[in-house]
Amino acid sequence: MFNTQVRSVTVDIQASREQVWQILTDTARYAEWNPFTPQIDGRLLLGETLGLHVRMPKRGDRVQYEQLEIMQHAEAESSNLAWGMRVLSPLLLRALREQIIISTGPHSCQYYSTDSFSGLLSPLVYRLFQLDIQQGFDAVAHALKSRAESM
């Protein structure tokens, strides 16, 4: 089985883990700060279908498409937010995006995001979209840092 992963930069944020978690889970305000996924339709509840409106940086600034994903977990205690998708069968393609916040002090934390791909189609998807995803995830990390530190 093929496995690949895209990981964003890790940013140090001068705000508490709880403050950053609040921003990350307030999807109604994503258009105000999130350059990669400015809109999410649906609720961050286990098993819910989410409609992610995604901008692919390499393909221009407009929202490219709506990607349907299933909410996997939103755990405030561990500060881990994840959704994923599959194409027909997990044997063909499965993806899991995780966003992780790690407390580094009472008023500081780190944030990073990963997207793990597996299945027979994962090398092709990785090759086609890796740069878009990498740039998008890095932009989100920096934008989240700016948002949290300005509040």
Side-chain angles (χ1 to χ4, degrees), residues 14 57 64 74 82-83 90 92 94 100 102 105 110-111 116 121 125 131 135 137-138 141 144:
Q14 297 306 307
Q64 294 290 321
W83 49 71
L92 284 180
R94 185 176 176 160
I100 298 160
I102 301 166
Q110 291 183 324
Y111 166 86
S116 301
L121 296 176
V125 170
L131 184 59
Q135 289 176 349
F137 282 9
D138 288 352
L144 181 60

Side-chain angles (χ1 to χ4, degrees), residues 6-9 97-100 111-115 137 141:
V6 177
R7 181 180 167 138
S8 74
V9 295
R97 178 173 185 195
E98 293 185 272
Q99 298 182 80
I100 298 160
Y111 166 86
Y112 68 92
S113 181
T114 63
D115 208 348
F137 282 9

Side-chain angles (χ1 to χ4, degrees), residues 7 9-21 24 75-81 99-114 144:
R7 181 180 167 138
V9 295
T10 299
V11 292
D12 293 307
I13 302 174
Q14 297 306 307
S16 72
R17 177 185 61 81
E18 295 81 11
Q19 289 170 307
V20 174
W21 179 257
L24 199 58
E75 300 168 0
E77 298 79 30
S78 64
S79 298
N80 188 316
L81 182 65
Q99 298 182 80
I100 298 160
I101 307 165
I102 301 166
S103 182
T104 57
H107 304 290
S108 63
C109 62
Q110 291 183 324
Y111 166 86
Y112 68 92
S113 181
T114 63
L144 181 60

Side-chain angles (χ1 to χ4, degrees), residues 41-94:
D41 299 326
R43 299 176 300 159
L44 300 181
L45 299 173
L46 181 65
E48 290 277 326
T49 299
L50 302 175
L52 281 69
H53 299 262
V54 180
R55 280 192 183 119
M56 293 291 194
K58 193 171 85 173
R59 296 170 183 5
D61 192 40
R62 64 186 172 83
V63 174
Q64 294 290 321
Y65 61 92
E66 181 180 14
Q67 174 70 38
L68 296 179
E69 308 238 356
I70 305 296
M71 192 65 206
Q72 301 297 315
H73 50 88
E75 300 168 0
E77 298 79 30
S78 64
S79 298
N80 188 316
L81 182 65
W83 49 71
M85 54 80 72
R86 68 180 192 184
V87 174
L88 299 177
S89 159
L91 293 174
L92 284 180
L93 180 65
R94 185 176 176 160

Side-chain angles (χ1 to χ4, degrees), residues 27-40:
T27 59
R29 300 184 89 111
Y30 268 30
E32 297 173 12
W33 68 270
N34 191 322
F36 186 57
T37 312
Q39 180 180 340
I40 293 182

